[in-house]
């Protein structure tokens, strides 16, 4: 259960890359190997999605945004180590690659953007500056309706939260009926 939603994000991305027409629309090359990923939020969903993508699919987590700043490493962030640091220090401040930054981290170059913490982090105010061609909504409602229109007009592919979060919902259902 703890990792179900993060695992669902991983599976949704794998499924996306199994559909050549969708991948072509995004402008990305097939497969998760080597894809640069920005993760907003290192809570349960963001942590597990980033962990599985980096350790099992060889994606490169280049940016992790948290409430007190971000960690940036173009060679890839060790997600387990960062999570351990966050648990111990209650902050990512001071971790190697830490920058005092906010939501503008979402606008950095990447192949995949995973908003996994808060709703409405992508709005009409920043949608034009989002560079990632693929967004997977791991949080509830991270993209506003206006931003959704702007992103779609620009050709950005958005995997909706309803699909991306299905893993956690399904496992919760099985727990409930057990």
């Amino acid at each position: 259960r703890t990792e179900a939603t993060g695992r669902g994000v991983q599976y949704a991305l794998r499924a996306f890359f199994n559909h050549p027409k969708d991948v072509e629309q995004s402008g990305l090359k097939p497969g998760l190997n080597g894809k640069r990923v920005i993760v907003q939020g290192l809570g349960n969903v963001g942590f597990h999605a980033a962990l599985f993508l980096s350790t099992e699919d060889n994606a490169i987590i280049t940016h992790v945004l948290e409430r007190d700043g971000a960690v940036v490493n173009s060679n890839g962030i060790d997600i387990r180590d960062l999570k351990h640091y966050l648990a111990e220090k209650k902050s990512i401040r001071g971790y190697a690659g830490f920058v005092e930054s906010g939501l503008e981290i979402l606008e950095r170059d990447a192949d995949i953007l995973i908003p996994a913490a808060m709703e409405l982090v992508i709005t009409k105010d920043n949608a034009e500056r989002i560079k990632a061609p693929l967004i997977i909504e791991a949080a509830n409602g991270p993209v506003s309706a206006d931003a959704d229109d702007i992103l779609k007009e620009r050709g950005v592919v958005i995997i909706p939260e309803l699909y991306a979060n299905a893993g956690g919902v399904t496992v919760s259902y099985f727990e409930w009926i057990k």
Side-chain angles (χ1 to χ4, degrees):
R1 167 81 171 105
T2 302
E3 61 195 42
T5 306
R7 180 72 74 189
V9 169
Q10 176 197 29
Y11 286 175
L13 282 168
R14 285 180 176 178
F16 170 82
F17 281 104
N18 284 331
H19 292 86
K21 188 175 179 181
D22 294 335
V23 175
E24 183 180 325
Q25 180 185 340
S26 73
L28 295 170
K29 290 188 176 1
L32 284 162
N33 186 32
K35 295 294 186 287
R36 299 165 302 136
V37 181
I38 297 172
V39 178
Q40 182 255 335
L42 204 60
N44 191 31
V45 178
F47 167 69
H48 285 102
L51 178 66
F52 299 145
L53 290 169
S54 62
T55 60
E56 298 174 9
D57 296 304
N58 297 315
I60 303 165
I61 312 303
T62 57
H63 299 75
V64 173
L65 176 61
E66 265 293 314
R67 64 186 159 276
D68 54 351
V71 172
V72 179
N73 184 336
S74 60
N75 295 319
I77 298 165
D78 181 331
I79 296 301
R80 276 191 184 102
D81 189 58
L82 178 57
K83 183 68 171 182
H84 176 74
Y85 185 92
L86 177 60
E88 184 179 299
K89 306 281 186 185
K90 307 296 185 223
S91 171
I92 61 170
R93 189 174 298 278
Y95 190 84
F98 175 81
V99 293
E100 294 220 20
S101 196
L103 291 177
E104 67 274 8
I105 289 293
L106 302 177
E107 303 166 15
R108 300 285 172 88
D109 280 324
D111 300 307
I112 302 168
L113 173 58
I114 305 176
M118 299 177 352
E119 64 183 24
L120 300 176
V121 293
I122 303 172
T123 66
K124 66 180 180 179
D125 297 329
N126 65 353
E128 287 289 344
R129 296 187 305 272
I130 299 295
K131 293 183 180 95
L134 176 59
I135 298 171
I136 182 162
E137 296 180 318
N140 293 324
V143 179
S144 74
D146 290 337
D148 189 73
D149 292 340
I150 293 166
L151 293 164
K152 284 181 181 170
E153 197 171 292
R154 292 182 44 227
V156 175
V157 176
I158 301 171
I159 299 173
E161 65 182 272
L162 185 65
Y163 176 67
N165 290 327
V169 174
T170 302
V171 171
S172 292
Y173 168 75
F174 289 135
E175 281 185 342
W176 189 358
I177 64 170
K178 189 173 179 179

